[in-house]
Amino acid sequence: MPPGQDGYVHGYSDREHGRLVDQATTLAELLHHDTRYPPGASVLEAGCGVGGQTVALARASPGARFTCIDVSPRSLESARERARAEGLENVAFQQADILDLPFPESSFDHVFVCFVLEHLPRPDRALSCLRSRLRPDGSLTVIEGDHGSALFHPDDADARRAIECLVTLQARAGGDARIGRRLFPLLVEAGLREVTVSPRMVYADSSRPEWVEGFTRRTFTAMVEGVRGQALAAGLLDPATWERGIEALRRSAGPDGVFCYTFFKAVGRR
Amino acid sequence: MPPGQDGYVHGYSDREHGRLVDQATTLAELLHHDTRYPPGASVLEAGCGVGGQTVALARASPGARFTCIDVSPRSLESARERARAEGLENVAFQQADILDLPFPESSFDHVFVCFVLEHLPRPDRALSCLRSRLRPDGSLTVIEGDHGSALFHPDDADARRAIECLVTLQARAGGDARIGRRLFPLLVEAGLREVTVSPRMVYADSSRPEWVEGFTRRTFTAMVEGVRGQALAAGLLDPATWERGIEALRRSAGPDGVFCYTFFKAVGRR
């Protein structure tokens, strides 16, 4: 969930919606295969965005009831349409802010947050708010990426600079694109207990064409390309360096290229 | 296997022997659990060093016969002692150079190489030599680290600089400390087929104290500390920056610290 429409580094364009849906389809198994909620459980998905993760979540736990919130009415509308198209009947959507939740203490059995904390100036406060809505012993699951984990062959300094633009823009918007690595201390400091973190690495070479296409090209490279205008306008890179960087990212999707990126999944209990 | 005693970045001190043994014990399960050779199979372990991986390998495949070579007589002597102490009876040691193998074509059913290519100026040639000693359809397994994969919290520029010293020293000795990410193209270009690569990430936070101690402190940080003399003598960093970098690596082993490192395991067939 972004701090607000204007501050959301990825923007809200239709192209971006398409990218987020591609990303979620490709990654759903890797990220969510071990998230299963029992029948009757009430689950808060905080910052559902366009519903990219919602379908995988709700399908995997058909007996659980999901309350999915987001701060953006437009994203929620997309999420609603998607849930309707998929025939999901265990999901309700509601406009709400993570830092000002319209639910009493201990409202939910479980809370789920994916690709949200990276955009928040105070992820620690968000975690405290979310924790307080959990019943005692309820679980909190957090998934975040870490742009510092991007590793590719052929390695290229300009490609690293282009990625760094994304990190800088996200930082200027109040977020942290390298938050994945610090989920453990964040959850512990927010009072969660039994915190365990498991990294999920996407590894893509030409023996795995679906990952090259779905992740290297259509998720990661597309995400970097998506901030070209902002990066150049902010003077973070000159156009020639930017193009060389993007070209190098594309090479890592070539026949002898390799691309790696790591997501971090943390689970703790109230 | 190093290009020669003087060029081996990690050196041959007793302290280094201890580190390599610690490293192997902690990592054996993560790296080798899926390497099993059938009874009667002949396996070449190329560049066995002090036998750090040999014990895990030979134990897991008690019916296979291992021929373990290294270019360093001193390392081989340690490996022999270790194999004797562990009561291994399916292992033979022999002094030999990977680029000048004293075995005819198609001598082995399988070849295994771990933490060796990173030290070679021409890993492509080594792979071609090793491939030629494989029988048709025999497997080649390669495991390498990638220092560019080190990711930690709190992040620290001096720590990254200290790690970069290791990369630079290894490059000056003719090696590549970031070789892990390019195992896929290396094996494909060497003529191996059905090449698959699986990354193995070490993730250490204070919920996993055995990894913090065994990997963050005693393997990775110790490895960086081990090149202090070389790095300072070469003028790669000043002593104050170096100490701050090491101190930051130690912080990543603290209660709220996190440390990640990725090994790459590649398997292909002749």
Side-chain angles (χ1 to χ4, degrees):
Chain A
M1 189 160 68
Q5 290 221 182
D6 293 333
Y8 190 39
V9 68
H10 301 319
Y12 285 88
S13 67
D14 285 343
R15 181 182 173 185
E16 178 64 16
H17 277 205
R19 189 187 69 77
L20 291 174
V21 170
D22 286 344
Q23 172 176 305
T25 309
T26 311
L27 292 176
E29 178 64 19
L30 181 71
L31 300 181
H32 306 316
H33 70 88
D34 50 352
T35 296
R36 296 284 181 275
Y37 298 111
S42 62
V43 184
L44 174 66
E45 186 192 5
C48 64
V50 298
Q53 322 303 320
T54 308
V55 177
L57 265 190
R59 280 264 170 77
S61 301
R65 289 168 290 109
F66 291 85
T67 302
C68 304
I69 64 164
D70 201 276
V71 77
S72 157
R74 187 175 161 202
S75 291
L76 275 177
E77 198 37 57
S78 295
R80 270 197 196 94
E81 276 171 33
R82 205 165 172 223
R84 206 158 32 222
E86 300 277 347
L88 295 181
E89 298 190 342
N90 55 339
V91 177
F93 294 95
Q94 185 172 339
Q95 201 270 334
D97 187 321
I98 284 184
L99 295 173
D100 185 22
L101 292 165
F103 311 108
E105 280 246 346
S106 307
S107 297
F108 296 95
D109 295 319
H110 306 284
V111 172
F112 179 90
V113 204
C114 185
F115 305 151
V116 173
L117 299 186
E118 59 170 323
H119 299 295
L120 304 183
R122 292 294 304 263
D124 54 338
R125 284 194 192 156
L127 286 170
S128 294
C129 288
L130 292 169
R131 178 184 170 279
S132 72
R133 268 59 176 192
L134 268 179
R135 68 160 165 78
D137 209 43
S139 78
L140 173 70
T141 299
V142 184
I143 302 176
E144 295 291 344
D146 189 316
H147 290 1
S149 75
L151 197 76
F152 40 95
H153 174 76
D155 190 20
D156 184 271
D158 292 328
R160 281 186 265 115
R161 284 185 194 106
I163 295 169
E164 196 60 28
C165 288
L166 206 58
V167 174
T168 302
L169 290 169
Q170 198 150 332
R172 289 184 183 177
D176 178 3
R178 293 185 289 218
I179 200 173
R181 73 188 74 181
R182 61 190 183 98
L183 289 187
F184 179 79
L186 275 171
L187 267 69
V188 169
E189 283 154 25
L192 282 302
R193 54 188 185 76
E194 296 175 32
V195 177
T196 58
V197 174
S198 62
R200 315 276 160 122
M201 183 185 279
V202 172
Y203 171 86
D205 63 34
S206 60
S207 72
R208 311 180 192 203
E210 71 283 11
W211 282 101
V212 173
E213 185 57 25
F215 193 82
T216 311
R217 284 203 188 95
R218 291 206 292 170
T219 299
F220 193 83
T221 306
M223 177 173 66
V224 179
E225 284 184 285
V227 302
R228 180 181 192 277
Q230 290 175 69
L232 299 187
L236 299 179
L237 273 190
D238 63 276
T241 306
W242 177 269
E243 300 306 335
R244 284 196 306 272
I246 297 297
E247 191 48 41
L249 285 178
R250 290 192 186 127
R251 271 205 308 283
S252 76
D256 66 347
V258 175
F259 190 87
C260 309
Y261 186 92
T262 302
F263 296 91
F264 293 82
K265 182 170 186 172
V267 181
R269 301 202 164 271
R270 178 168 181 181
Chain B
M1 187 159 74
Q5 290 221 184
D6 293 332
Y8 189 41
V9 68
H10 300 318
Y12 285 88
S13 68
D14 284 343
R15 182 182 171 185
E16 178 63 16
H17 277 204
R19 190 189 67 78
L20 291 174
V21 170
D22 284 343
Q23 171 176 305
T25 308
T26 310
L27 291 176
E29 179 63 18
L30 181 71
L31 301 181
H32 306 316
H33 71 90
D34 51 352
T35 295
R36 297 284 181 274
Y37 299 111
S42 62
V43 183
L44 174 66
E45 185 192 5
C48 64
V50 299
Q53 321 303 319
T54 309
V55 175
L57 265 190
R59 279 264 169 76
S61 301
R65 288 168 291 108
F66 291 84
T67 303
C68 304
I69 63 164
D70 203 277
V71 76
S72 157
R74 185 173 163 205
S75 292
L76 275 177
E77 197 38 56
S78 294
R80 271 197 193 93
E81 274 171 34
R82 205 163 172 227
R84 205 155 34 221
E86 299 279 346
L88 296 181
E89 297 191 341
N90 56 339
V91 177
F93 294 94
Q94 186 171 338
Q95 199 269 337
D97 187 322
I98 284 184
L99 294 173
D100 185 22
L101 292 166
F103 311 109
E105 279 246 346
S106 307
S107 296
F108 296 95
D109 296 318
H110 306 283
V111 172
F112 179 91
V113 205
C114 184
F115 306 151
V116 173
L117 299 186
E118 60 170 324
H119 299 295
L120 304 182
R122 293 295 304 264
D124 55 337
R125 285 193 189 155
L127 286 171
S128 294
C129 288
L130 291 170
R131 178 183 170 279
S132 72
R133 266 57 175 195
L134 267 180
R135 65 158 166 81
D137 210 43
S139 78
L140 171 70
T141 299
V142 183
I143 302 174
E144 295 290 346
D146 189 318
H147 289 1
S149 75
L151 198 74
F152 39 94
H153 175 75
D155 190 21
D156 184 89
D158 292 328
R160 281 186 266 116
R161 285 185 192 105
I163 295 169
E164 197 59 29
C165 289
L166 207 57
V167 174
T168 303
L169 290 169
Q170 198 149 331
R172 288 185 182 176
D176 179 3
R178 293 185 289 220
I179 199 171
R181 73 187 75 182
R182 60 189 183 100
L183 289 187
F184 179 79
L186 275 171
L187 267 69
V188 170
E189 284 155 24
L192 281 302
R193 53 188 187 74
E194 296 174 31
V195 177
T196 57
V197 173
S198 61
R200 316 276 161 121
M201 182 185 278
V202 173
Y203 171 85
D205 64 33
S206 61
S207 72
R208 310 179 192 203
E210 71 284 12
W211 283 101
V212 173
E213 184 60 25
F215 193 82
T216 311
R217 285 204 186 92
R218 291 206 294 170
T219 298
F220 193 84
T221 306
M223 178 174 65
V224 179
E225 284 185 284
V227 302
R228 180 182 192 278
Q230 289 175 70
L232 299 187
L236 299 179
L237 274 190
D238 62 276
T241 306
W242 178 269
E243 299 308 336
R244 285 196 305 271
I246 296 297
E247 192 47 42
L249 285 178
R250 289 193 188 127
R251 271 203 309 281
S252 76
D256 66 346
V258 175
F259 190 88
C260 309
Y261 186 92
T262 303
F263 296 92
F264 293 82
K265 181 170 186 172
V267 181
R269 301 202 163 272
R270 177 169 182 182

